[in-house]
Amino acid sequence: MGPRHLDRVLDAVGVVQIDSVNVLVRSHYLPVFSRLGPYRRELLDRAAHRAPRRLVEYWAHQASYTTPATHALLGFRMVRAHAETWSGLRQAAAEHPHLLDDVRAVIAAQGPLTSAEIEQQLGRRAPADRGNWGWNWSHAKMAIEYLFHAGDLASAGRTTRFERRYDLPERVLGAHLALAAPPEEAEACRELVAIAARAHGIGTEACLRDYFRLSAGQSRKAVAELVEDGRLVEVQVAGWRRPAYLDPAARIPARLGGSALLSPFDSLVWFRPRTEALFGFHYRIGIYTPAAQRTHGYYVLPYLLGDRLVARVDVAANRAAGVLSVPGAWLEEPPARGRIGAGDVARALAADLRAMAQWLGLDDVVVGERGDLTAALRALGRW
């Protein structure tokens, strides 16, 4: 399995969200595993960390990897950073303009560097804001992030500790891309919505809008223009109150086989209203919920079998013990339970858990006792 397989996944999804939680594996590795099975994570690292880059990080759908071509479509967001990025960053840039120049100079001379390395090169750590800024970032860190939002710095990849490494855009993207004028905003929004439509196959305007976190005005205008141009087709979906839009190139397969454990940040499930409308699957991420209030667990993955989300599985990589820990697993209520029995789900899930463990270099899978699916999993014995 090589770069061409990875490129096919990236072309299909358009954007891969990044997240720092590492209780299982960094989230951006999981969508590729869900679609390809075991692959070498170095392929993704190489695509994002080495020139010529096939992936670039920016605020697409939260912090995300996109292709360089899609990164260029987000140029209007960079241009508007002075007015629309986080207020703390704008304030820091306005109050400490010398820091912007100092950071650029350090990066130009010595990049790529992490924010900590940049501050070290500046020879001081500017005081942190202890007020309402949630991360207590220093002024220098906020200046760095402002420059990243504005497109004056780019990400050259992440360290093993998940620290972003900053460099000049022309050294990350190449001068021909970094110095090119960004597409006009309306054109860029049309192309971003078209990418979202290809990834969805079918979706409401709200679904397509959320994919790249466009505004309602941007999205509605783009959808209307794409419909007029024949690049989207308006359709009705039974049970949906709002019209949906179909990518004309979408094809309905003769059958939907396969199975996949999905990252909480997978594009298939990240827009929760769509997940509930399509699958009847109410989903929230336990990592943001106090332990006593969690319904299922800390890092719970939806489990796709055929065309249904049939279960949810609490998983963690216990690297010290060399095992994939499954504290709990729950079978979904009807309609999934009415169509697929616990034994069928358990057998498919066991195979996917074993494949995940091997992919992560773990020796075994240990199943706990929480949830109505764990007994069926343990009854299968050693897998």
PDB file of all heavy atoms in Angstrom, residues 3 41 65 101-102 132 140 148-149 152 211 213 221 241 255 290 294 298 324-325 329 338 342 353 356 363 379:
ATOM      1  N   PRO A   3       1.773   5.533  -1.803  1.00  0.00           N
ATOM      2  CA  PRO A   3       1.273   6.908  -1.898  1.00  0.00           C
ATOM      3  C   PRO A   3       0.012   7.047  -2.735  1.00  0.00           C
ATOM      4  O   PRO A   3      -0.840   7.897  -2.436  1.00  0.00           O
ATOM      5  CB  PRO A   3       2.456   7.657  -2.530  1.00  0.00           C
ATOM      6  CG  PRO A   3       3.659   6.861  -2.154  1.00  0.00           C
ATOM      7  CD  PRO A   3       3.201   5.435  -2.155  1.00  0.00           C
ATOM      8  N   ARG A  41       2.002   4.551   8.636  1.00  0.00           N
ATOM      9  CA  ARG A  41       1.712   5.936   8.990  1.00  0.00           C
ATOM     10  C   ARG A  41       2.769   6.893   8.465  1.00  0.00           C
ATOM     11  O   ARG A  41       2.514   8.093   8.296  1.00  0.00           O
ATOM     12  CB  ARG A  41       1.585   6.062  10.520  1.00  0.00           C
ATOM     13  CG  ARG A  41       0.246   5.585  11.059  1.00  0.00           C
ATOM     14  CD  ARG A  41       0.249   5.531  12.565  1.00  0.00           C
ATOM     15  NE  ARG A  41       0.866   4.299  13.053  1.00  0.00           N
ATOM     16  CZ  ARG A  41       1.253   4.103  14.305  1.00  0.00           C
ATOM     17  NH1 ARG A  41       1.118   5.060  15.203  1.00  0.00           N
ATOM     18  NH2 ARG A  41       1.792   2.955  14.674  1.00  0.00           N
ATOM     19  N   TYR A  65      -5.490  18.903   7.769  1.00  0.00           N
ATOM     20  CA  TYR A  65      -4.654  18.742   6.591  1.00  0.00           C
ATOM     21  C   TYR A  65      -5.524  18.843   5.349  1.00  0.00           C
ATOM     22  O   TYR A  65      -6.614  18.251   5.281  1.00  0.00           O
ATOM     23  CB  TYR A  65      -3.976  17.372   6.585  1.00  0.00           C
ATOM     24  CG  TYR A  65      -2.807  17.238   7.523  1.00  0.00           C
ATOM     25  CD1 TYR A  65      -2.655  16.093   8.297  1.00  0.00           C
ATOM     26  CD2 TYR A  65      -1.832  18.230   7.629  1.00  0.00           C
ATOM     27  CE1 TYR A  65      -1.583  15.946   9.165  1.00  0.00           C
ATOM     28  CE2 TYR A  65      -0.756  18.089   8.493  1.00  0.00           C
ATOM     29  CZ  TYR A  65      -0.638  16.942   9.257  1.00  0.00           C
ATOM     30  OH  TYR A  65       0.422  16.793  10.107  1.00  0.00           O
ATOM     31  N   ASP A 101       7.178  41.354  13.466  1.00  0.00           N
ATOM     32  CA  ASP A 101       8.414  41.514  12.690  1.00  0.00           C
ATOM     33  C   ASP A 101       9.524  40.626  13.240  1.00  0.00           C
ATOM     34  O   ASP A 101      10.284  40.009  12.476  1.00  0.00           O
ATOM     35  CB  ASP A 101       8.860  42.984  12.706  1.00  0.00           C
ATOM     36  CG  ASP A 101       7.869  43.894  11.997  1.00  0.00           C
ATOM     37  OD1 ASP A 101       7.166  43.412  11.085  1.00  0.00           O
ATOM     38  OD2 ASP A 101       7.801  45.084  12.374  1.00  0.00           O
ATOM     39  N   ASP A 102       9.621  40.556  14.581  1.00  0.00           N
ATOM     40  CA  ASP A 102      10.678  39.750  15.192  1.00  0.00           C
ATOM     41  C   ASP A 102      10.484  38.265  14.867  1.00  0.00           C
ATOM     42  O   ASP A 102      11.461  37.554  14.572  1.00  0.00           O
ATOM     43  CB  ASP A 102      10.679  39.944  16.712  1.00  0.00           C
ATOM     44  CG  ASP A 102      11.141  41.345  17.129  1.00  0.00           C
ATOM     45  OD1 ASP A 102      11.673  42.075  16.261  1.00  0.00           O
ATOM     46  OD2 ASP A 102      10.946  41.696  18.304  1.00  0.00           O
ATOM     47  N   ASN A 132      -8.445  36.083  30.428  1.00  0.00           N
ATOM     48  CA  ASN A 132      -9.455  35.175  29.885  1.00  0.00           C
ATOM     49  C   ASN A 132      -8.931  34.288  28.772  1.00  0.00           C
ATOM     50  O   ASN A 132      -9.681  33.491  28.232  1.00  0.00           O
ATOM     51  CB  ASN A 132     -10.659  35.992  29.361  1.00  0.00           C
ATOM     52  CG  ASN A 132     -11.387  36.689  30.492  1.00  0.00           C
ATOM     53  OD1 ASN A 132     -11.494  36.147  31.585  1.00  0.00           O
ATOM     54  ND2 ASN A 132     -11.859  37.900  30.231  1.00  0.00           N
ATOM     55  N   ALA A 140       4.176  36.376  22.490  1.00  0.00           N
ATOM     56  CA  ALA A 140       4.907  35.876  21.330  1.00  0.00           C
ATOM     57  C   ALA A 140       4.168  34.711  20.681  1.00  0.00           C
ATOM     58  O   ALA A 140       4.062  34.631  19.455  1.00  0.00           O
ATOM     59  CB  ALA A 140       6.315  35.457  21.738  1.00  0.00           C
ATOM     60  N   PHE A 148       0.234  32.696  11.514  1.00  0.00           N
ATOM     61  CA  PHE A 148      -0.191  31.447  10.877  1.00  0.00           C
ATOM     62  C   PHE A 148      -1.606  31.592  10.315  1.00  0.00           C
ATOM     63  O   PHE A 148      -1.884  31.201   9.181  1.00  0.00           O
ATOM     64  CB  PHE A 148      -0.128  30.299  11.891  1.00  0.00           C
ATOM     65  CG  PHE A 148      -0.600  28.980  11.352  1.00  0.00           C
ATOM     66  CD1 PHE A 148       0.102  28.321  10.355  1.00  0.00           C
ATOM     67  CD2 PHE A 148      -1.759  28.393  11.838  1.00  0.00           C
ATOM     68  CE1 PHE A 148      -0.337  27.103   9.850  1.00  0.00           C
ATOM     69  CE2 PHE A 148      -2.203  27.172  11.352  1.00  0.00           C
ATOM     70  CZ  PHE A 148      -1.489  26.530  10.355  1.00  0.00           C
ATOM     71  N   HIS A 149      -2.516  32.156  11.086  1.00  0.00           N
ATOM     72  CA  HIS A 149      -3.883  32.385  10.607  1.00  0.00           C
ATOM     73  C   HIS A 149      -3.876  33.279   9.373  1.00  0.00           C
ATOM     74  O   HIS A 149      -4.671  33.074   8.453  1.00  0.00           O
ATOM     75  CB  HIS A 149      -4.732  33.029  11.707  1.00  0.00           C
ATOM     76  CG  HIS A 149      -5.230  32.070  12.730  1.00  0.00           C
ATOM     77  ND1 HIS A 149      -6.564  31.864  12.981  1.00  0.00           N
ATOM     78  CD2 HIS A 149      -4.580  31.245  13.567  1.00  0.00           C
ATOM     79  CE1 HIS A 149      -6.711  30.964  13.933  1.00  0.00           C
ATOM     80  NE2 HIS A 149      -5.517  30.574  14.311  1.00  0.00           N
ATOM     81  N   ASP A 152       0.954  34.273   6.810  1.00  0.00           N
ATOM     82  CA  ASP A 152       2.323  34.772   6.743  1.00  0.00           C
ATOM     83  C   ASP A 152       3.327  33.733   7.226  1.00  0.00           C
ATOM     84  O   ASP A 152       4.531  33.873   6.986  1.00  0.00           O
ATOM     85  CB  ASP A 152       2.460  36.047   7.573  1.00  0.00           C
ATOM     86  CG  ASP A 152       1.661  37.200   6.985  1.00  0.00           C
ATOM     87  OD1 ASP A 152       1.586  37.298   5.742  1.00  0.00           O
ATOM     88  OD2 ASP A 152       1.087  37.987   7.753  1.00  0.00           O
ATOM     89  N   TYR A 211     -18.411  21.658   6.339  1.00  0.00           N
ATOM     90  CA  TYR A 211     -17.215  20.901   5.962  1.00  0.00           C
ATOM     91  C   TYR A 211     -15.965  21.773   6.021  1.00  0.00           C
ATOM     92  O   TYR A 211     -14.909  21.339   6.494  1.00  0.00           O
ATOM     93  CB  TYR A 211     -17.397  20.314   4.566  1.00  0.00           C
ATOM     94  CG  TYR A 211     -16.707  18.988   4.373  1.00  0.00           C
ATOM     95  CD1 TYR A 211     -17.144  17.854   5.051  1.00  0.00           C
ATOM     96  CD2 TYR A 211     -15.624  18.865   3.524  1.00  0.00           C
ATOM     97  CE1 TYR A 211     -16.513  16.630   4.878  1.00  0.00           C
ATOM     98  CE2 TYR A 211     -14.989  17.646   3.344  1.00  0.00           C
ATOM     99  CZ  TYR A 211     -15.434  16.536   4.027  1.00  0.00           C
ATOM    100  OH  TYR A 211     -14.805  15.327   3.862  1.00  0.00           O
ATOM    101  N   ARG A 213     -16.284  25.005   7.328  1.00  0.00           N
ATOM    102  CA  ARG A 213     -16.663  26.038   8.279  1.00  0.00           C
ATOM    103  C   ARG A 213     -16.874  27.395   7.591  1.00  0.00           C
ATOM    104  O   ARG A 213     -16.343  28.422   8.024  1.00  0.00           O
ATOM    105  CB  ARG A 213     -15.628  26.132   9.405  1.00  0.00           C
ATOM    106  CG  ARG A 213     -15.527  24.848  10.245  1.00  0.00           C
ATOM    107  CD  ARG A 213     -16.824  24.619  11.012  1.00  0.00           C
ATOM    108  NE  ARG A 213     -16.901  23.331  11.653  1.00  0.00           N
ATOM    109  CZ  ARG A 213     -16.496  23.076  12.908  1.00  0.00           C
ATOM    110  NH1 ARG A 213     -15.925  24.025  13.629  1.00  0.00           N
ATOM    111  NH2 ARG A 213     -16.640  21.869  13.430  1.00  0.00           N
ATOM    112  N   LYS A 221     -24.850  31.120  -1.076  1.00  0.00           N
ATOM    113  CA  LYS A 221     -24.555  31.698  -2.392  1.00  0.00           C
ATOM    114  C   LYS A 221     -23.829  30.678  -3.272  1.00  0.00           C
ATOM    115  O   LYS A 221     -24.166  30.503  -4.458  1.00  0.00           O
ATOM    116  CB  LYS A 221     -23.699  32.955  -2.225  1.00  0.00           C
ATOM    117  CG  LYS A 221     -23.396  33.705  -3.523  1.00  0.00           C
ATOM    118  CD  LYS A 221     -22.659  35.003  -3.198  1.00  0.00           C
ATOM    119  CE  LYS A 221     -22.447  35.851  -4.448  1.00  0.00           C
ATOM    120  NZ  LYS A 221     -21.439  35.233  -5.341  1.00  0.00           N
ATOM    121  N   ARG A 241     -36.283  17.401   6.436  1.00  0.00           N
ATOM    122  CA  ARG A 241     -37.162  18.555   6.257  1.00  0.00           C
ATOM    123  C   ARG A 241     -36.578  19.586   5.304  1.00  0.00           C
ATOM    124  O   ARG A 241     -37.305  20.386   4.726  1.00  0.00           O
ATOM    125  CB  ARG A 241     -37.461  19.203   7.618  1.00  0.00           C
ATOM    126  CG  ARG A 241     -38.427  18.388   8.463  1.00  0.00           C
ATOM    127  CD  ARG A 241     -38.752  19.097   9.764  1.00  0.00           C
ATOM    128  NE  ARG A 241     -37.726  18.872  10.772  1.00  0.00           N
ATOM    129  CZ  ARG A 241     -37.769  19.371  11.993  1.00  0.00           C
ATOM    130  NH1 ARG A 241     -38.759  20.160  12.350  1.00  0.00           N
ATOM    131  NH2 ARG A 241     -36.820  19.109  12.867  1.00  0.00           N
ATOM    132  N   ARG A 255     -23.925  -2.793  -3.613  1.00  0.00           N
ATOM    133  CA  ARG A 255     -24.039  -3.208  -2.220  1.00  0.00           C
ATOM    134  C   ARG A 255     -22.986  -2.476  -1.403  1.00  0.00           C
ATOM    135  O   ARG A 255     -21.958  -2.046  -1.930  1.00  0.00           O
ATOM    136  CB  ARG A 255     -23.884  -4.724  -2.054  1.00  0.00           C
ATOM    137  CG  ARG A 255     -22.539  -5.272  -2.506  1.00  0.00           C
ATOM    138  CD  ARG A 255     -22.467  -6.784  -2.337  1.00  0.00           C
ATOM    139  NE  ARG A 255     -22.566  -7.170  -0.952  1.00  0.00           N
ATOM    140  CZ  ARG A 255     -21.512  -7.244  -0.123  1.00  0.00           C
ATOM    141  NH1 ARG A 255     -20.293  -6.920  -0.558  1.00  0.00           N
ATOM    142  NH2 ARG A 255     -21.668  -7.619   1.126  1.00  0.00           N
ATOM    143  N   PRO A 290     -16.863  15.469  31.892  1.00  0.00           N
ATOM    144  CA  PRO A 290     -16.306  14.948  33.153  1.00  0.00           C
ATOM    145  C   PRO A 290     -16.575  13.448  33.289  1.00  0.00           C
ATOM    146  O   PRO A 290     -17.629  12.951  32.861  1.00  0.00           O
ATOM    147  CB  PRO A 290     -17.050  15.751  34.225  1.00  0.00           C
ATOM    148  CG  PRO A 290     -17.451  17.009  33.537  1.00  0.00           C
ATOM    149  CD  PRO A 290     -17.742  16.633  32.115  1.00  0.00           C
ATOM    150  N   ARG A 294     -19.876  10.771  31.814  1.00  0.00           N
ATOM    151  CA  ARG A 294     -19.742  10.089  30.517  1.00  0.00           C
ATOM    152  C   ARG A 294     -20.723   8.936  30.416  1.00  0.00           C
ATOM    153  O   ARG A 294     -20.827   8.108  31.324  1.00  0.00           O
ATOM    154  CB  ARG A 294     -18.318   9.569  30.331  1.00  0.00           C
ATOM    155  CG  ARG A 294     -17.305  10.668  30.104  1.00  0.00           C
ATOM    156  CD  ARG A 294     -15.894  10.121  29.968  1.00  0.00           C
ATOM    157  NE  ARG A 294     -14.937  11.201  30.150  1.00  0.00           N
ATOM    158  CZ  ARG A 294     -13.804  11.101  30.823  1.00  0.00           C
ATOM    159  NH1 ARG A 294     -13.478   9.951  31.401  1.00  0.00           N
ATOM    160  NH2 ARG A 294     -13.004  12.137  30.945  1.00  0.00           N
ATOM    161  N   TYR A 298     -14.264   7.348  27.476  1.00  0.00           N
ATOM    162  CA  TYR A 298     -13.415   8.500  27.205  1.00  0.00           C
ATOM    163  C   TYR A 298     -13.219   8.711  25.709  1.00  0.00           C
ATOM    164  O   TYR A 298     -13.477   9.787  25.174  1.00  0.00           O
ATOM    165  CB  TYR A 298     -12.061   8.312  27.891  1.00  0.00           C
ATOM    166  CG  TYR A 298     -11.105   9.465  27.684  1.00  0.00           C
ATOM    167  CD1 TYR A 298     -11.289  10.666  28.374  1.00  0.00           C
ATOM    168  CD2 TYR A 298     -10.030   9.360  26.810  1.00  0.00           C
ATOM    169  CE1 TYR A 298     -10.423  11.730  28.188  1.00  0.00           C
ATOM    170  CE2 TYR A 298      -9.150  10.420  26.619  1.00  0.00           C
ATOM    171  CZ  TYR A 298      -9.352  11.606  27.300  1.00  0.00           C
ATOM    172  OH  TYR A 298      -8.498  12.656  27.111  1.00  0.00           O
ATOM    173  N   LEU A 324      -4.258  -3.491  23.107  1.00  0.00           N
ATOM    174  CA  LEU A 324      -5.352  -2.595  22.788  1.00  0.00           C
ATOM    175  C   LEU A 324      -6.448  -2.858  23.804  1.00  0.00           C
ATOM    176  O   LEU A 324      -7.013  -3.945  23.858  1.00  0.00           O
ATOM    177  CB  LEU A 324      -5.863  -2.845  21.367  1.00  0.00           C
ATOM    178  CG  LEU A 324      -6.969  -1.900  20.873  1.00  0.00           C
ATOM    179  CD1 LEU A 324      -6.433  -0.485  20.713  1.00  0.00           C
ATOM    180  CD2 LEU A 324      -7.557  -2.395  19.554  1.00  0.00           C
ATOM    181  N   SER A 325      -6.728  -1.860  24.626  1.00  0.00           N
ATOM    182  CA  SER A 325      -7.711  -2.014  25.692  1.00  0.00           C
ATOM    183  C   SER A 325      -9.084  -1.584  25.189  1.00  0.00           C
ATOM    184  O   SER A 325      -9.229  -0.524  24.577  1.00  0.00           O
ATOM    185  CB  SER A 325      -7.303  -1.153  26.891  1.00  0.00           C
ATOM    186  OG  SER A 325      -8.286  -1.180  27.895  1.00  0.00           O
ATOM    187  N   ALA A 329     -18.080  -1.800  25.049  1.00  0.00           N
ATOM    188  CA  ALA A 329     -18.608  -1.822  23.687  1.00  0.00           C
ATOM    189  C   ALA A 329     -20.118  -1.980  23.771  1.00  0.00           C
ATOM    190  O   ALA A 329     -20.621  -2.807  24.548  1.00  0.00           O
ATOM    191  CB  ALA A 329     -17.988  -2.955  22.873  1.00  0.00           C
ATOM    192  N   GLY A 338     -32.182  -4.500  15.069  1.00  0.00           N
ATOM    193  CA  GLY A 338     -33.189  -5.330  14.428  1.00  0.00           C
ATOM    194  C   GLY A 338     -32.701  -6.009  13.171  1.00  0.00           C
ATOM    195  O   GLY A 338     -33.267  -7.008  12.739  1.00  0.00           O
ATOM    196  N   ALA A 342     -26.044  -9.382  17.612  1.00  0.00           N
ATOM    197  CA  ALA A 342     -24.843  -9.109  18.389  1.00  0.00           C
ATOM    198  C   ALA A 342     -23.685 -10.006  17.971  1.00  0.00           C
ATOM    199  O   ALA A 342     -22.538  -9.571  17.929  1.00  0.00           O
ATOM    200  CB  ALA A 342     -25.136  -9.282  19.876  1.00  0.00           C
ATOM    201  N   LEU A 353     -10.751  -4.938  15.450  1.00  0.00           N
ATOM    202  CA  LEU A 353      -9.939  -4.598  16.610  1.00  0.00           C
ATOM    203  C   LEU A 353      -8.572  -5.265  16.533  1.00  0.00           C
ATOM    204  O   LEU A 353      -7.549  -4.662  16.874  1.00  0.00           O
ATOM    205  CB  LEU A 353     -10.660  -5.002  17.898  1.00  0.00           C
ATOM    206  CG  LEU A 353     -11.876  -4.159  18.279  1.00  0.00           C
ATOM    207  CD1 LEU A 353     -12.665  -4.831  19.404  1.00  0.00           C
ATOM    208  CD2 LEU A 353     -11.444  -2.742  18.704  1.00  0.00           C
ATOM    209  N   MET A 356      -6.550  -3.395  14.039  1.00  0.00           N
ATOM    210  CA  MET A 356      -6.091  -2.130  14.603  1.00  0.00           C
ATOM    211  C   MET A 356      -4.921  -2.360  15.558  1.00  0.00           C
ATOM    212  O   MET A 356      -3.934  -1.607  15.540  1.00  0.00           O
ATOM    213  CB  MET A 356      -7.238  -1.414  15.321  1.00  0.00           C
ATOM    214  CG  MET A 356      -6.820  -0.144  16.026  1.00  0.00           C
ATOM    215  SD  MET A 356      -8.207   0.785  16.727  1.00  0.00           S
ATOM    216  CE  MET A 356      -8.789   1.628  15.252  1.00  0.00           C
ATOM    217  N   ASP A 363       0.285  -6.290  20.880  1.00  0.00           N
ATOM    218  CA  ASP A 363       0.311  -7.737  20.808  1.00  0.00           C
ATOM    219  C   ASP A 363      -1.035  -8.400  21.046  1.00  0.00           C
ATOM    220  O   ASP A 363      -1.239  -9.554  20.667  1.00  0.00           O
ATOM    221  CB  ASP A 363       1.315  -8.302  21.825  1.00  0.00           C
ATOM    222  CG  ASP A 363       2.734  -7.817  21.562  1.00  0.00           C
ATOM    223  OD1 ASP A 363       3.088  -7.689  20.369  1.00  0.00           O
ATOM    224  OD2 ASP A 363       3.456  -7.546  22.529  1.00  0.00           O
ATOM    225  N   ALA A 379     -16.719 -13.967  24.333  1.00  0.00           N
ATOM    226  CA  ALA A 379     -17.100 -15.346  24.017  1.00  0.00           C
ATOM    227  C   ALA A 379     -16.363 -15.894  22.806  1.00  0.00           C
ATOM    228  O   ALA A 379     -16.294 -17.114  22.613  1.00  0.00           O
ATOM    229  CB  ALA A 379     -18.609 -15.435  23.792  1.00  0.00           C
TER     230      ALA A 379
END
